[in-house]
Amino acid sequence: MTMTAVRPVHPVRQLLAASVGNAVEWYDWYAYTFLATYIAGQVFPKGADNSLVPLLSTFAVFAVGFFMRPVGGLIMGAVADRHGRRAALTVTILVMGGSSLLVGITPTYAAVGVLAPVVLVLARLLQGLSVGGEFAASTTFLVESAGPGRRGLFSSFQYVSTSIGQLVASGVAALLVSTLGEDQMDGWGWRVPFLVGALLSLVGFWIRQGAQETHSAQPRQRPGLFDALRRYPRQSLLICGITAGGTLAYYTWTSYLPTYAELNTGMDKSDALLVGTVSLAFFALLQPVGGLLSDRFGRKPLLLVFGLGFAVSSVPLLHALTGSIASLLLVQCAGMVLLTGFTSISAAVNAEVFPARVRAAGIGFPYSLTVALFGGTAPYMGTLFKEWGRSGLFPWYVAVLCLVSSAVYLRLPESAHRELER
């Protein structure tokens, strides 16, 4: 035997440990996104003489986090495979708490010069490392904690908790902006969510200490860092194919769509953000429904509804935006219904591809790499098409990539009713 696997006695406690920690992780990640303009104003001031400053600004805000996610998926995935899922989950939430604290206490450029953006880049590196590792560890932990016939349901809480973290970060940022003056936000207000995030990470750490381990490798049989890639190259490529269309559609519909509506229809920014918030809450409620349906009818039907649905409807849906609240709400909610076919079960589908010995690292690296290449670049690609005067091509870009993933889903063996390989 190369490992031992124990089915948890208290699956609900396991679900809570994974979900709360994941929500805290994504709260910290999205808080940075919502407050990036305030951070940039203090850490990367306009007209700075040092040529390194604008370069570091661009690198920190747009690239560092996503660049580090595949690295985090590989390293923390290997930790989860070698030392247990709970050990990796403990490390990721402590790293995220530390990086959130580091953002909150980052000095201004006026105080320390170029050291300020260096500190912020370091914090963003750690955030990306943590988020990439969190997905690898929590995905395997959630699915391995599920009872018979419940892997899809447990899988769905990956995106329930992600959405909750995003909603809380948005709410905290909106509350601060509405209650504090511009000078207060620029001076100290933007730091508050990150200090709160550091405290929440300690709460998540405490909750995770009560979780039960789901996988323990024998010391002499622990996998190497690249074992999953070396021994399972086909499965690694399969994760990329499964994820490509889904991550592009996810970031387009949950993050970029309000901005897309502003750029292409002239919709008011506050109205677009309000619709985005309502739609995200609706999306979170849909996830357990998708997970339960997959446990009953299988993973492939839901994946194909998502992939083919987006391949057919992306262009008409995005062209249906008129600038009204009603049109954006309808388009965003319709897309999220289809998107649930991917998000609610992606953790289960990914976990069912690899054996337990290399499951976390096997999922973590190819998944996070694909997210960085296609999900993280969705806003950039949408804006780039707009700048080229070809904004109508972006919906086709989404449709084609979802069609490519649909071809992968067609060839994917059904795994919902198989015993999870341990």
Side-chain angles (χ1 to χ4, degrees):
M1 293 288 291
T2 60
M3 61 87 190
T4 58
V6 180
R7 193 175 299 283
V9 179
H10 302 290
V12 175
R13 183 185 298 170
Q14 300 287 97
L15 188 64
L16 179 64
S19 298
V20 170
N22 196 51
V24 172
E25 288 270 347
W26 286 98
Y27 164 85
D28 287 336
W29 176 265
Y30 281 113
Y32 183 92
T33 303
F34 292 128
L35 296 166
T37 55
Y38 295 101
I39 297 170
Q42 295 299 307
V43 181
F44 310 107
K46 295 179 180 178
D49 294 332
N50 194 319
S51 62
L52 284 177
V53 174
L55 176 62
L56 284 171
S57 175
T58 303
F59 185 54
V61 176
F62 296 110
V64 168
F66 279 101
F67 170 77
M68 284 300 293
R69 283 175 66 170
V71 179
L74 180 64
I75 294 175
M76 289 296 102
V79 170
D81 289 332
R82 290 173 61 83
H83 302 289
R85 318 307 191 204
R86 197 178 73 166
L89 289 171
T90 298
V91 173
T92 57
I93 202 163
L94 288 178
V95 171
M96 180 57 84
S99 61
S100 187
L101 178 63
L102 193 57
V103 174
I105 63 173
T106 296
T108 63
Y109 183 83
V112 299
V114 76
L115 180 62
V118 170
V119 171
L120 189 62
V121 168
L122 175 61
R124 195 61 173 165
L125 283 167
L126 292 173
Q127 280 191 326
L129 185 78
S130 176
V131 166
E134 174 69 17
F135 184 88
S138 64
T139 290
T140 52
F141 181 81
L142 271 173
V143 177
E144 290 171 353
S145 296
R150 286 290 180 265
R151 292 200 301 265
L153 175 62
F154 271 53
S155 166
S156 70
F157 279 86
Q158 184 78 31
Y159 278 91
V160 170
S161 53
T162 297
S163 299
I164 290 173
Q166 187 173 354
L167 286 168
V168 173
S170 175
V172 169
L175 179 64
L176 285 170
V177 171
S178 63
T179 56
L180 298 179
E182 195 69 17
D183 290 342
Q184 290 174 307
M185 279 300 300
D186 283 333
W188 56 270
W190 63 269
R191 300 180 184 273
V192 173
F194 300 104
L195 301 178
V196 170
L199 292 175
L200 290 176
S201 295
L202 293 178
V203 175
F205 169 76
W206 175 72
I207 291 173
R208 284 182 168 179
Q209 293 309 291
Q212 183 181 342
E213 183 56 73
T214 62
H215 169 85
S216 298
Q218 296 295 333
R220 294 183 180 181
Q221 299 295 332
R222 288 172 177 168
L225 185 62
F226 298 102
D227 270 15
L229 290 172
R230 190 176 68 253
R231 297 189 180 188
Y232 301 94
R234 178 183 171 277
Q235 287 86 341
S236 298
L237 289 173
L238 190 60
I239 296 292
C240 295
I242 291 169
T243 305
T247 189
L248 175 59
Y250 174 75
Y251 278 95
T252 299
W253 249 258
T254 64
S255 300
Y256 180 58
L257 198 59
T259 302
Y260 182 87
E262 293 168 40
L263 290 174
N264 293 281
T265 69
M267 188 173 187
D268 181 74
K269 182 176 183 179
S270 61
D271 289 342
L273 290 175
L274 174 63
V275 171
T277 301
V278 172
S279 301
L280 195 61
F282 171 68
F283 177 69
L285 294 174
L286 287 174
Q287 301 311 297
V289 178
L292 285 169
L293 287 173
S294 81
D295 285 331
R296 176 87 181 267
F297 301 107
R299 317 291 188 225
K300 283 185 71 170
L302 269 75
L303 289 171
L304 288 170
V305 166
F306 153 71
L308 296 176
F310 261 98
V312 171
S313 66
S314 292
V315 175
L317 280 176
L318 291 178
H319 284 167
L321 293 171
T322 63
S324 69
I325 290 179
S327 75
L328 179 57
L329 183 62
L330 180 62
V331 168
Q332 194 153 21
C333 287
M336 285 176 167
V337 171
L338 294 174
L339 183 59
T340 297
F342 168 77
T343 54
S344 64
I345 60 173
S346 64
V349 173
N350 290 341
E352 289 160 354
V353 168
F354 284 95
R357 181 176 177 272
V358 294
R359 182 171 289 138
I363 294 170
F365 180 73
Y367 174 87
S368 295
L369 180 63
T370 309
V371 170
L373 291 174
F374 297 106
T377 59
Y380 174 80
M381 293 300 297
T383 306
L384 185 63
F385 282 127
K386 175 67 175 177
E387 290 178 356
W388 287 347
R390 296 288 187 272
S391 57
L393 291 179
F394 181 70
W396 287 103
Y397 171 61
V398 177
V400 168
L401 204 58
C402 288
L403 187 61
V404 171
S405 283
S406 296
V408 176
Y409 304 150
L410 279 170
R411 297 179 60 84
L412 197 66
E414 181 57 69
S415 57
H417 307 300
R418 292 202 322 247
E419 189 70 24
L420 186 67
E421 189 175 347
R422 292 180 178 271

